[in-house]
């Protein structure tokens, strides 16, 4: 495929899910060869690969439970050299302070923070100079959402990781940024989508009065990964349709 990511190798974690799938499809459409990672959703990952190859792109599947350090090391070993790492996999559990169990808290932090941290660490020797790392954060890390408490804390850790790693890896020309989506139409929203009152409040908080789409997040990620984003590093970029302006 022709595009400004021609010849680049990318890993997208959580590419069996809504946003990760769209990122994989858009990176491949720009010419990157994409590793489509999944945790438990093999069939959904295969559908992502099918979508990529149907439009002439290149993709292959890799599996790892990001909560598990041995899995994470195996994933890194399976990757080969990389130019683009999109740490997209993530999960929300527990919700308010009252309703969050220890297991919920551990699941959120072991996936969103520990998994991302140690995967990136294991991939350091595999990242080419001038690579681009893009971490998927959330608007919940920036504005108050008491109903996503542990999740918001985990994404705030992702923002901190992003800034410090950008300073650390700058001498190698490696850029590290985060994209903070607002509410985006994917399975992540779960039952919330059936709750008209909650949906009304969420969409009213945006300038455009609607949910974002995975494609809209993926376009921002693909642009940031491209040479167009060459002078941007250490940033947490809101891609939210103007949430809470
Ligand atoms: P999604 O459709 O639920 O996808 C989540 C992805 O994370 C899946 O591919 C899932 O893989 C993977 N994952 C979860 N736990 C994992 C684990 N232990 N090991 C490996 N993979 C794991 O949600 P999404 O909307 O695409 O979310 C993608 C990212 O965007 C997440 O980081 C999320 O926090 C962030 N985000 C989403 C929204 C939103 O409104 N949708 C807003 C802001 C930020 P398997 O299913 O294969 O296990």
């Amino acid at each position: 495929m022709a595009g400004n990511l021609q010849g680049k190798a990318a890993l997208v974690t959580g590419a069996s899910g809504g946003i990760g799938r769209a990122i994989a499809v858009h990176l491949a459409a720009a010419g990157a060869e994409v590793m489509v990672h999944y945790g438990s959703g093999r069939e959904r990952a295969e559908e992502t690969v099918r979508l990529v190859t149907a439009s002439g792109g290149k993709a292959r599947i890799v599996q790892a439970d990001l909560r598990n350090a041995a899995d994470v090391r195996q994933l890194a070993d399976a990757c080969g050299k990389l130019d683009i790492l999109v740490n997209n996999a993530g999960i929300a559990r527990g919700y308010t302070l009252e309703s969050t169990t220890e297991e919920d808290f551990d699941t959120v932090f072991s996936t969103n923070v520990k998994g991302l941290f140690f995967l990136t660490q294991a991939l350091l020797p595999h990242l080419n100079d001038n690579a681009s790392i893009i971490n998927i954060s959330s608007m919940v890390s920036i504005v108050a959402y008491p109903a996503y408490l542990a999740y918001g804390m985990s994404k705030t850790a992702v923002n901190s990781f992003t800034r410090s790693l950008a300073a650390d890896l700058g001498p190698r020309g490696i850029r590290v940024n985060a994209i903070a989506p607002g509410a985006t139409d994917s399975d992540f929203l779960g039952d919330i989508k059936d709750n008209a009152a909650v949906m009304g409040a969420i969409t009213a908080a945006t300038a455009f009065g609607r949910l974002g789409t995975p494609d809209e997040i993926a376009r921002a990620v693909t642009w940031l990964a491209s040479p167009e984003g060459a002078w941007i590093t250490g940033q947490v970029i809101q891609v939210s349709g103007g949430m809470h302006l």
Side-chain angles (χ1 to χ4, degrees), residues 14 16-19 39-41 44 64-66 88 137 151 155 182 184 186:
S16 49
I19 293 176
S40 58
R44 283 180 282 112
D65 183 337
L66 295 180
N88 163 78
S137 179
Y151 173 74
K155 294 297 190 178
T184 307
S186 78

Side-chain angles (χ1 to χ4, degrees), residues 9 45 49 53 57 71-72 79 98 104 114 129 131-132 138-139 142 155 163 170 183 192 195 209 217 240 242:
V49 171
T53 51
D71 262 33
V72 164
C79 279
E98 289 82 2
D104 292 330
K114 182 183 151 198
D129 286 353
S132 176
S138 169
M139 282 300 293
I142 296 166
K155 294 297 190 178
R163 280 187 288 269
I192 289 178
N195 186 326
I217 308 304
S240 69

Side-chain angles (χ1 to χ4, degrees), residues 108-207:
V108 167
F109 271 79
S110 61
T111 308
N112 300 1
V113 181
K114 182 183 151 198
L116 176 146
F117 185 102
F118 286 105
L119 178 62
T120 309
Q121 182 191 67
L123 284 171
L124 275 182
H126 301 260
L127 287 172
N128 286 323
D129 286 353
N130 306 314
S132 176
I133 299 174
I134 298 168
N135 301 317
I136 303 302
S137 179
S138 169
M139 282 300 293
V140 172
S141 70
I142 296 166
V143 291
Y145 268 85
Y148 278 98
L149 193 55
Y151 173 74
M153 292 165 68
S154 76
K155 294 297 190 178
T156 305
V158 169
N159 299 349
S160 167
F161 178 72
T162 299
R163 280 187 288 269
S164 292
L165 201 66
D168 194 24
L169 298 183
R172 287 180 59 194
I174 297 177
R175 297 184 294 117
V176 189
N177 292 289
I179 293 274
T184 307
D185 195 356
S186 78
D187 290 347
F188 181 89
L189 296 179
D191 296 344
I192 289 178
K193 276 170 81 172
D194 302 325
N195 186 326
V198 175
M199 284 302 291
I202 288 175
T203 55
T206 71

Side-chain angles (χ1 to χ4, degrees), residues 24 28 32-36 45 48-50 52-53 57-61:
E33 184 168 349
V34 182
M35 263 163 287
V36 169
T48 302
V49 171
R50 198 191 62 71
V52 167
T53 51
K58 283 191 197 151
R60 69 182 167 92
I61 283 191

Side-chain angles (χ1 to χ4, degrees), residues 93-102 104 146-147:
R93 286 274 186 282
Y95 309 108
T96 66
L97 181 60
E98 289 82 2
S99 66
T100 302
T101 64
E102 183 180 4
D104 292 330

